Amino acid sequence: MGNRFPARDRFADGAQFIDGRLRPGTSGRTHAVVDPATGDELLTYEMAGAADVDAAVAAALAAYPGWAGATPGERSDALHRFAAVLAERATEFAAAESLQCGKPIKLSTEFDVPGTVDNAAFFAGAARHLEGASAGEYSGDHTSYVRREPIGVVGSIAPWNYPLQMAAWKILPAVAAGNTIVLKPSELTPFTSLMFAQAAREAGIPDGVINIVNGAGADAGERLVGHPDVVMTSFTGSTAVGKRVAEIATATVKRLHLELGGKAPFLVFDDADLDAAVQGAVAGSLINTGQDCTAATRAYVQRPLYDAFVSAVAALMETVRLGDPFAPSTDMGPLISHAHRDRVAGIVDRARGYARVVTGGAAPDGAGLADGAYYRPTLVVDAAQDSEIVQSEIFGPVLVVLPFDSDDEGIRLANDTPYGLAASVWSRDVYRTGRATREMKAGCVWVNDHIPIISEMPHGGYKASGYGKDMSAYSFEEYTQVKHVMYDNTAVARKGWHRTIFGDRL
């Protein structure tokens, strides 16, 4: 398994993209990007520090008046060109994403890249539809209308599990609304975020509108969130880190959008199509090696279907092919790192003391996989509802299955974690599914499917999964300021309400 993307050549000038060009970081620290499938070093780069963040924010601040002052049509045209450039480079983006993340090339090619292109195309159209309320004489003597304006320089932080898509989710609505942005991706996966910014420049988006800083969270991330010229922060990552981001942002009274952890329930009623539920559970729990905040992690199965569901899921998991991410036949790649693989394994190993591992629960011993951060698809049963493996976010290819009896119990158990990002319900009964979609506390509830996302619909959570929305027109609520403008229509100098301050009734 060799280097399928020439990272050293592509980023020889550095892994910071500031004011339209690549440059090295100045923190004095370096980071090695490692191929999680082989353990091979792909690129060592100079990380960003406070000075680099300051330079990126300054570039964004300088570019803001021109970009904010562009017409919606001009921004839309630029984003349409951007979508076209992304589509032209689809193969290169897919290779870079699979190399740095270890995800199967078929996932990068058929999910990550086309989803990003579609997102760019959606926001190219949405840029023309930033509308406020229509004008009206709500007081009788005045005409009121609402302006929707960009807010300024955005500082965003994205995770390592979907670097390309997360770059798109953070950057596109911000710039479509007329803002400029500094994005800090995970230092583990810098390639496609940098390529995304380069493609934007090639499409004619002005220098400084999109800037990328790659550095550690404690250095570059905290400096970005706390920067006085950054007016809004969007963060996707763990709930624990999200709390720290909120502390820093609150100190400077920034607008804040948080998309945090998840522990998605997969609720199967006894009238569900069993085969569909089994197929959906395996796909929904193993996508991106389970490193997905919306992945199916807790399957609650009504008791009449429970045994058959467990048996069929175990059998299907055992057919999943682990291997070289660039092999077309590979179904599942490695986890992002050996450290993360060991964390996932630790949770499963501790669960053996109170639950049963039906299949998986170990690193594979197949040829060619020993050097990678691989872990077999894992199915766990007989765990208690309050156990670690049921309550904590694992972020790996692990599905826990628990039985339930009544519909009331199933919905109660599905809601019984701190998280509320996504959920699914499986049934042929429209009334059962309707009740579940109303009562399940999650930002997205799928019916008889699990995982699909579309650009036109919002993504965001309840409870400890955060607040605010990525994607869709709803995301503009995060990136725009609503202003009420009110015109007097009377041309009268002395208003009737003035008497409450001075003088008598006229």
Side-chain angles (χ1 to χ4, degrees), residues 318 348 352 357-362 375-379:
E318 289 168 2
V348 174
R352 296 180 195 275
V357 177
V358 179
T359 189
Y375 196 74
R376 289 172 56 200
T378 299
L379 178 64

Side-chain angles (χ1 to χ4, degrees), residues 90 107-120 164-165 455:
L107 181 65
S108 295
T109 301
E110 299 177 28
F111 183 75
D112 296 73
V113 174
T116 301
V117 174
D118 183 74
N119 218 234
L164 177 59
Q165 291 203 80
S455 297

Side-chain angles (χ1 to χ4, degrees), residues 8-160:
R8 288 188 177 89
D9 294 338
R10 185 62 179 267
F11 305 118
D13 293 333
Q16 318 302 326
F17 187 84
I18 299 172
D19 204 18
R21 67 180 182 89
L22 291 173
R23 52 188 261 184
T26 61
S27 69
R29 300 170 58 192
T30 61
H31 180 79
V33 182
V34 174
D35 180 350
T38 63
D40 294 340
E41 182 184 310
L42 302 171
L43 174 74
T44 295
Y45 67 89
E46 295 86 358
M47 298 175 77
D52 304 297
V53 172
D54 291 350
V57 171
L61 192 63
Y64 174 72
W67 185 247
T71 66
E74 289 168 338
R75 290 198 294 267
S76 176
D77 288 347
L79 289 171
H80 276 300
R81 294 193 300 270
F82 187 17
V85 173
L86 293 172
E88 290 168 3
R89 304 285 164 77
T91 300
E92 184 181 32
F93 272 102
E97 193 78 339
S98 285
L99 185 65
Q100 67 181 350
C101 299
K103 61 182 65 186
I105 191 67
K106 65 180 181 180
L107 181 65
S108 295
T109 301
E110 299 177 28
F111 183 75
D112 296 73
V113 174
T116 301
V117 174
D118 183 74
N119 218 234
F122 170 80
F123 279 106
R128 289 180 178 265
H129 297 285
L130 280 168
E131 298 174 348
S134 59
E137 286 68 50
Y138 299 100
S139 78
D141 290 337
H142 306 81
T143 295
S144 289
Y145 69 90
V146 170
R147 290 177 55 86
R148 189 176 290 277
E149 300 176 345
I151 56 177
V153 176
V154 175
S156 293
I157 300 176
W160 47 257

Side-chain angles (χ1 to χ4, degrees), residues 29 31 45 47-50 53 157-158 184-188 213-226 235 241 244-245 248:
R29 300 170 58 192
H31 180 79
Y45 67 89
M47 298 175 77
V53 172
I157 300 176
K184 193 200 88 65
S186 168
E187 63 272 23
L188 301 178
V213 292
N214 281 293
D219 299 327
E222 294 202 2
R223 177 64 177 173
L224 180 60
V225 175
F235 170 81
V241 177
R244 175 60 180 157
V245 169
I248 299 169

